[in-house]
Amino acid sequence: MNDTPDTPARGRNGTGSPPAIDTTIAHPARVWDYWLGGKDNYLADRELGDQILQAMPDWVMFAQADREFLGRTIRYLAGEAGIRQFLDIGTGLPTANNTHEVAQAVVPDARIVYVDNDPVVLVHAQALLRSTAPGVTDYIHADLNDPDSILRGAAETLDLTRPVAITLLGIVEFITDTEEAYALVNRLLDAVPSGSHLVIAHPTTDVQGEAMTKILRMWNSSAATPATFRTRQEFTGFFERLELVEPGVTTLPQWRPDTDTRYTDREIGFFGAMGRKP
Ligand SMILES: C[S@@+](CC[C@H](N)C(=O)[O-])C[C@H]1O[C@@H](n2cnc3c(N)ncnc32)[C@H](O)[C@@H]1O
């Protein structure tokens, strides 16, 4: 995190009272934190995280490939695409190379709004997701199932009449009804102008299908939030009204890899793509 003079993330809890933290059941942000080598996780998260790794050790690689995808997409957006505003929904626990750090390294005055529904993320994001002036970061405790509350909160920091990059990395799988997931994403896209971008990273059963299906069963029998993995066709549906940015839908490491991008020769059961609103 930055240790230079900074402006704190203006965290808000949409419900008005501190949300309860349940440590007895595995939560996505904390299991993900465990796989990424973080310390903000509990026994239930580590137990399910280990059970999944025993069945499919590749999940650590998936989490790392996702974070590298985040870095490449945010750098592209802040650089080539000229985006200055970012709405990162499903932020996760702060780790290395968070969205504001990557964006503000390219554009120092980039404005970032983080959104997550995990109360542990709320506590850590308020402390750690801090922006170096002249940039701005904000944090909203809210749920993807309530896009209007996300948009109301985001509008306090972002100018929604100007292009915004909406990033949904490793979150849409927790909206298990695909039509409902399309509707939620489209509601967000309706609220932003032409030139805005959408980025999604999403696990799939199209790659290593048998193992991925087994993992999904494990997750859904133990975790607080059920998930679904989607096919390429279902994933591509999120971008129906957008222009896909080259190279289109790929597995994560294949999306504009840099020379140091890892796992380009491995089977990664996660799709990634970016679309531009015409
Ligand atoms: C797998 S983590 C991904 C974190 C980060 N985006 C990344 O790619 O490293 C998924 C995050 O989405 C959050 N999340 C899951 N369902 C959500 C929902 N319905 N609304 C808001 N956040 C949600 C979880 O709390 C978690 O922090």
Side-chain angles (χ1 to χ4, degrees):
M1 293 298 135
N2 293 316
D3 51 11
T4 48
D6 54 15
T7 52
R10 292 186 300 112
R12 286 190 306 278
N13 168 12
T15 64
S17 57
I21 295 176
D22 181 357
T23 61
T24 63
I25 185 162
H27 280 68
R30 311 171 204 171
V31 177
W32 199 244
D33 174 73
Y34 176 55
W35 287 333
L36 287 170
K39 294 190 172 55
D40 303 316
N41 48 71
Y42 300 89
L43 184 62
D45 307 307
R46 294 190 288 274
E47 282 179 351
L48 180 57
D50 282 339
Q51 197 188 333
I52 290 176
L53 290 185
Q54 271 162 24
M56 197 177 182
D58 288 359
W59 271 82
V60 165
M61 193 167 71
F62 294 176
Q64 292 167 343
D66 167 90
R67 297 300 301 185
E68 292 188 6
F69 175 73
L70 181 150
R72 296 195 305 285
T73 52
I74 300 295
R75 270 194 297 280
Y76 172 89
L77 289 161
E80 285 178 70
I83 297 289
R84 299 292 175 264
Q85 312 190 95
F86 297 81
L87 180 56
D88 176 342
I89 306 175
T91 305
L93 282 152
T95 175
N97 299 322
N98 300 295
T99 297
H100 74 283
E101 292 162 324
V102 180
Q104 290 172 354
V106 182
V107 188
D109 62 351
R111 302 173 80 82
I112 289 89
V113 173
Y114 288 110
V115 182
D116 206 286
N117 69 354
D118 186 324
V120 176
V121 175
L122 172 66
V123 172
H124 289 273
Q126 283 174 334
L128 294 175
L129 295 177
R130 288 162 170 252
S131 164
T132 301
V136 177
T137 54
D138 194 3
Y139 178 80
I140 305 171
H141 183 80
D143 200 295
L144 179 56
N145 287 290
D146 183 3
D148 289 332
S149 123
I150 292 177
L151 291 165
R152 262 195 314 278
E156 292 184 23
T157 300
L158 309 181
D159 175 355
L160 300 185
T161 67
R162 301 174 70 91
V164 177
I166 300 171
T167 62
L168 294 162
L169 305 190
I171 175 174
V172 185
E173 62 267 31
F174 300 110
I175 310 293
T176 52
D177 182 300
T178 299
E179 291 307 318
E180 182 62 21
Y182 289 155
L184 292 169
V185 171
N186 282 326
R187 173 70 193 105
L188 295 169
L189 287 171
D190 284 342
V192 293
S194 164
S196 294
H197 286 65
L198 172 72
V199 184
I200 304 182
H202 196 303
T204 180
T205 40
D206 281 10
V207 180
Q208 300 193 62
E210 208 175 306
M212 291 295 275
T213 304
K214 187 172 165 194
I215 299 307
L216 188 57
R217 266 201 302 273
M218 268 181 193
W219 179 269
N220 285 342
S221 63
S222 303
T225 315
T228 191
F229 297 165
R230 295 192 164 92
T231 62
R232 175 184 283 267
Q233 192 182 357
E234 289 168 328
F235 177 77
T236 305
F238 289 104
F239 297 89
E240 200 166 51
R241 46 193 287 205
L242 306 179
E243 297 158 351
L244 275 173
V245 173
E246 285 297 319
V249 173
T250 65
T251 57
L252 296 181
Q254 303 300 335
W255 197 90
R256 294 178 180 251
D258 293 324
T259 48
D260 59 353
T261 299
R262 289 178 292 175
Y263 313 128
T264 49
D265 57 346
R266 300 291 295 269
E267 283 200 299
I268 300 285
F270 255 76
F271 287 131
M274 179 189 292
R276 179 185 181 280
K277 186 171 174 179

